[in-house]
Amino acid sequence: MTDWEPRAIALADELAAAGKLTDERWRKALTSVPRHVLVPEYFQPDQEGGWRRVSTSAGEGLDAVYSNKSLITDVDERGHAVSSSSMPGLMVRMLELLEIGRFHRVLEIGTGTGYNAALITEYLGNGNNLFSVDIDYIDTAQERLASLGYHPTLRKADGVDGLPDWAPYDRILATVAVPRIPAAWVAQLNDGGRILADIKVAVSAGNLVLLRKNGDTLSGRFDGRYAAFMAMRHPDRAQQRPSQPATSGNEEHSTTHYEPMAWENTVVWFLAALQFPEGTTYGMQLDSDHQPSKATFSSGDGSWARVDIKADANGERLVVQSGPTSLWDVISDGYRQWEEAGRPTWDRFYLTVKPDGEQVVWLDDPEGEFSWLLP
């Protein structure tokens, strides 16, 4: 037994004990695929705010690659993480949710390192029924997969278009986040087939949803546990530069009793994000002791907001906001909707993709009081 095999077995045992791995065939796949071959190195933040490369051939790197951790596998010239190998526990949970059959044709959106493709190929018994697409990394992933005897069909293309040449598929799995289900995926899915994707309408705003196709309509429930993937990238679209907050002195001052770090309540953040301007994100401002003092928000239209983290004696916090969109008002409306709906958790939310392309999120009952259109 080589150095990696006991680690893979221990990882499988850990995931099984946590209830994330229940299918013996997926356990066999997890313990048969050497993750370190497909992820030979990863990037670790250093103390200077940069990155250091860590080899997974031995030591801390080998331990890390066989732990239930997400690993950054590529950074761009600006030092931003652009690709990762997801947590094995999340991968396996998603694969089990899809209920992939032995003879199913599977389309994966987001090849990345090829590790997930290796797990699926091992599970299926061959690569004839696995198809995977990515805008990058395809050549490297194909070479590493082939070295292990895996030969799925990989293509370099924009994942939003799916892979029409080999359609239709019984299962579509997206390991990247999308703001809505692309029409091409719907068209390329067999009747009765399933799509599992991470819907994110803004940064951190959304969750995994499992959809089943019935005729021309897809519908299904969001997963009860929160998960997140990096946003899908597109080769033909220029990288947007973050906008600068408006510098106008026309600032609005108010107070709020809501928690300032709204993104920590992922349902509230999602409901608010349905109304956000494009490019809305969040952060924190530090005080002189380098402790968080304000939650900050900014958007692509130049709007911004700052909310004090510490409340006064009455439980209120100061809000300052400016720009075309009153961002904290939008966030407050997300809180209000959540409270009016009975403070629901993710497992009460559903998504329906209609034949005309309209995509509707609804709570408990498709004809009920609470529903929202995906932008």
Side-chain angles (χ1 to χ4, degrees):
M1 187 175 287
T2 61
D3 288 346
W4 71 269
E5 290 173 304
R7 290 173 167 82
I9 292 170
L11 175 59
D13 290 342
E14 176 189 339
L15 298 181
K20 298 176 180 178
L21 175 61
T22 62
D23 186 325
E24 279 300 314
R25 284 175 58 201
W26 284 119
R27 179 187 175 89
K28 180 180 180 298
L30 194 69
T31 57
S32 299
V33 175
R35 190 185 184 199
H36 69 284
V37 174
L38 296 155
V39 188
E41 65 176 14
Y42 62 93
F43 291 83
Q44 182 78 20
D46 61 27
Q47 294 181 343
E48 286 73 42
W51 301 91
R52 67 181 180 95
R53 294 175 183 264
V54 181
S55 169
T56 62
S57 61
E60 66 167 315
L62 188 61
D63 288 339
V65 82
Y66 290 102
S67 64
N68 191 29
K69 294 180 179 178
S70 175
L71 302 174
I72 301 300
T73 54
D74 193 17
V75 296
D76 64 16
E77 65 278 0
R78 296 173 299 164
H80 296 165
V82 293
S83 185
S84 66
S85 179
S86 301
M87 296 171 63
L90 175 58
M91 291 182 185
V92 172
R93 176 159 65 89
M94 292 175 67
L95 293 170
E96 290 199 354
L97 281 172
L98 272 175
E99 296 184 2
I100 298 172
R102 177 74 75 176
F103 301 106
H104 280 160
R105 293 169 62 82
V106 181
L107 172 62
E108 178 192 36
I109 308 295
T111 310
T113 66
Y115 178 60
N116 202 49
L119 292 176
I120 298 172
T121 303
E122 180 69 33
Y123 184 87
L124 293 174
N126 63 73
N128 295 337
N129 284 336
L130 175 62
F131 307 83
S132 187
V133 59
D134 205 313
I135 66 163
D136 209 343
Y137 314 117
I138 288 295
D139 293 341
T140 301
Q142 193 155 39
E143 180 181 339
R144 292 171 182 165
L145 285 163
S147 75
L148 298 171
Y150 300 130
H151 300 281
T153 299
L154 308 184
R155 288 294 181 270
K156 185 175 183 178
D158 192 336
V160 76
D161 299 321
L163 211 52
D165 290 350
W166 287 273
Y169 306 99
D170 301 294
R171 299 289 188 267
I172 297 178
L173 171 65
T175 59
V176 290
V178 291
R180 62 195 340 259
I181 301 298
W185 300 3
V186 179
Q188 293 170 29
L189 186 67
N190 273 324
D191 193 18
R194 299 183 181 190
I195 291 177
L196 181 58
D198 181 22
I199 296 293
K200 289 290 189 296
V201 296
V203 176
S204 303
N207 201 10
L208 290 176
V209 65
L210 177 63
L211 303 170
R212 295 169 178 82
K213 188 174 185 180
N214 183 9
D216 294 327
T217 301
L218 277 75
S219 192
R221 177 184 284 185
F222 282 85
D223 194 56
R225 289 174 287 184
Y226 180 77
F229 286 90
M230 290 185 175
M232 177 186 285
R233 294 183 294 143
H234 305 278
D236 58 343
R237 299 181 191 176
Q239 181 70 34
Q240 275 194 327
R241 294 182 179 181
S243 68
Q244 295 298 315
T247 57
S248 167
N250 186 23
E251 299 176 352
E252 302 173 14
H253 291 72
S254 60
T255 61
T256 184
H257 64 277
Y258 290 127
E259 290 294 326
M261 292 179 286
W263 61 88
E264 293 186 346
N265 184 326
T266 57
V267 173
V268 166
W269 187 244
F270 172 69
L271 295 177
L274 294 171
Q275 306 174 64
F276 280 159
E278 188 173 359
T280 300
T281 189
Y282 61 86
M284 285 191 291
Q285 183 174 311
L286 305 181
D287 61 20
S288 58
D289 295 323
H290 302 287
Q291 297 301 312
S293 62
K294 300 179 189 296
T296 62
F297 308 90
S298 62
S299 66
D301 66 358
S303 302
W304 59 268
R306 295 193 301 265
V307 185
D308 285 354
I309 290 177
K310 186 177 180 180
D312 63 19
N314 297 317
E316 295 290 316
R317 298 170 173 86
L318 176 65
V319 177
V320 182
Q321 54 188 338
S322 182
T325 304
S326 298
L327 288 178
W328 185 253
D329 291 356
V330 174
I331 295 168
S332 296
D333 190 54
Y335 273 111
R336 180 190 57 77
Q337 293 182 66
W338 177 65
E339 290 173 342
E340 289 180 353
R343 301 191 172 197
T345 50
W346 274 113
D347 55 1
R348 291 179 55 195
F349 287 87
Y350 296 77
L351 173 65
T352 294
V353 180
K354 299 182 179 181
D356 62 3
E358 187 177 75
Q359 302 192 15
V360 183
V361 175
W362 45 276
L363 186 69
D364 297 329
D365 181 350
E367 304 301 325
E369 178 182 359
F370 298 100
S371 65
W372 302 264
L373 285 175
L374 285 186

